Amino acid sequence: MPKSRLNLLFLFFQLLTLQFLSIISAIRKDIGFQETPFCKTTVQGRYLLSDDNGYVCDAVSVDPQSRCCAEKGEKFSCQGCNLLSQCCNSYEYCVSCCVNPARTLKEQVLNVKIAKPTTAGTYGSVFDFCAGRCRHNSESVVHENAYLSDFHHCFSMPSNASGAGVTQLKGRLSGISVIIGRQGESCDSVCKSSGQSCVLNKLILLNQCEIIQKYMSCKGGCLASMGADQPAEVADDAPSNLNPTACLYTRIQSMLSCDGYHRHTRRLCPCA
């Protein structure tokens, strides 16, 4: 066979080889699959749901594959929420507001027990905490069958939570004299007796069981209530329907005041 013909055949096979390799290369580049994100969502509401990205939407707007809300509207919306009491009038917006990392610290909520028994497990994520905490709980009701207010979906740390949250509270009470008043006495009167004044914006720090129980005996337990005299402890000789020896805190933060009092309670007062 002439040499020129051999050269042409060799060149032809080289071109075929290059073309085949380019096809393989193209196929190899395209065989990867993009991972589809998947969201956790609430299932309690009839019309709305919230996802773990912090969005609220109706069921029609949920992506059928990812189960995520369309990323439109406000993220971490606190619509219908009282940010002082950390309570909302809507379950879905309570969860949306709660999952904001600037509002709920992951390292704190992952240590919170799901139930009271010491053997109970802890929450696996911030979303799990918010979805569980925003449901109706014992701290948002009074007399076991009535809500304290329309804002009964609350995402604050449980009043019996311990750990980093309590440590931070102690730091925020630096420079404050926490004084137990006499029965029937207001915090204005309690602080004035020691040459100080009641610090209204510190009452919210004392208004939780973990703190109240450090200063008062609370033999009758620590109960959610409503009243301008709280946080407080009910006197031993109080009528039985007022829960003698129990400590009280209010879920309605707007009721906290320095001048409130009740003839059957002793107040816990922040003075400076």
Side-chain angles (χ1 to χ4, degrees):
M1 184 179 291
K3 187 175 181 180
S4 58
R5 194 169 180 181
L6 287 174
N7 289 338
L8 285 173
L9 285 172
F10 180 72
L11 182 61
F12 176 73
F13 282 118
Q14 278 190 322
L15 289 173
L16 282 177
T17 303
L18 288 172
Q19 187 175 8
F20 180 71
L21 289 175
S22 65
I23 292 172
I24 293 175
S25 177
I27 293 173
R28 292 175 66 87
K29 288 179 181 177
D30 295 335
I31 61 173
F33 294 99
Q34 185 175 0
E35 185 178 349
T36 301
F38 187 82
C39 291
K40 287 185 176 180
T41 61
T42 59
V43 293
Q44 182 166 324
R46 181 180 298 178
Y47 304 109
L48 298 175
L49 56 82
S50 53
D51 65 21
D52 55 4
N53 288 327
Y55 289 99
V56 176
C57 63
D58 56 43
V60 179
S61 303
V62 176
D63 184 280
Q65 292 183 331
S66 69
R67 299 300 301 163
C68 298
C69 289
E71 294 186 359
K72 59 183 180 180
E74 184 181 354
K75 188 175 185 179
F76 306 132
S77 175
C78 295
Q79 179 180 316
C81 297
N82 182 326
L83 297 182
L84 178 62
S85 65
Q86 295 183 306
C87 293
C88 310
N89 58 15
S90 161
Y91 172 69
E92 290 74 26
Y93 282 102
C94 175
V95 175
S96 172
C97 190
C98 174
V99 296
N100 187 342
R103 202 174 301 283
T104 304
L105 300 179
K106 182 178 180 179
E107 57 269 24
Q108 288 185 20
V109 302
L110 295 187
N111 292 322
V112 176
K113 289 188 176 296
I114 297 174
K116 288 184 178 180
T118 55
T119 55
T122 54
Y123 290 100
S125 68
V126 172
F127 178 80
D128 291 342
F129 167 82
C130 295
R133 188 68 182 151
C134 284
R135 291 191 181 95
H136 312 314
N137 56 70
S138 60
E139 295 182 28
S140 63
V141 297
V142 62
H143 304 310
E144 298 184 354
N145 58 5
Y147 293 120
L148 288 169
S149 76
D150 290 336
F151 295 83
H152 51 259
H153 299 285
C154 304
F155 59 88
S156 59
M157 293 288 286
S159 58
N160 63 346
S162 60
V166 175
T167 302
Q168 289 179 354
L169 284 173
K170 289 180 179 178
R172 292 169 67 184
L173 286 171
S174 177
I176 298 295
S177 300
V178 180
I179 303 175
I180 300 172
R182 294 187 295 269
Q183 186 173 330
E185 192 176 19
S186 71
C187 279
D188 277 337
S189 176
V190 172
C191 296
K192 187 176 180 179
S193 298
S194 61
Q196 298 176 297
S197 298
C198 174
V199 185
L200 179 60
N201 65 358
K202 297 298 182 181
L203 275 170
I204 192 172
L205 302 181
L206 301 181
N207 186 48
Q208 48 191 300
C209 292
E210 183 75 14
I211 299 298
I212 301 171
Q213 290 168 338
K214 290 185 178 297
Y215 296 94
M216 296 174 152
S217 61
C218 305
K219 294 178 182 177
C222 187
L223 310 174
S225 184
M226 292 185 291
D229 62 312
Q230 294 153 22
E233 183 178 40
V234 184
D236 295 358
D237 58 355
S240 58
N241 66 310
L242 295 181
N243 300 304
T245 72
C247 288
L248 307 175
Y249 71 96
T250 180
R251 291 294 292 176
I252 305 177
Q253 307 292 357
S254 59
M255 295 189 72
L256 295 170
S257 75
C258 287
D259 57 3
Y261 64 92
H262 191 286
R263 64 194 182 101
H264 290 300
T265 64
R266 297 183 303 144
R267 296 202 61 181
L268 187 64
C269 305
C271 305

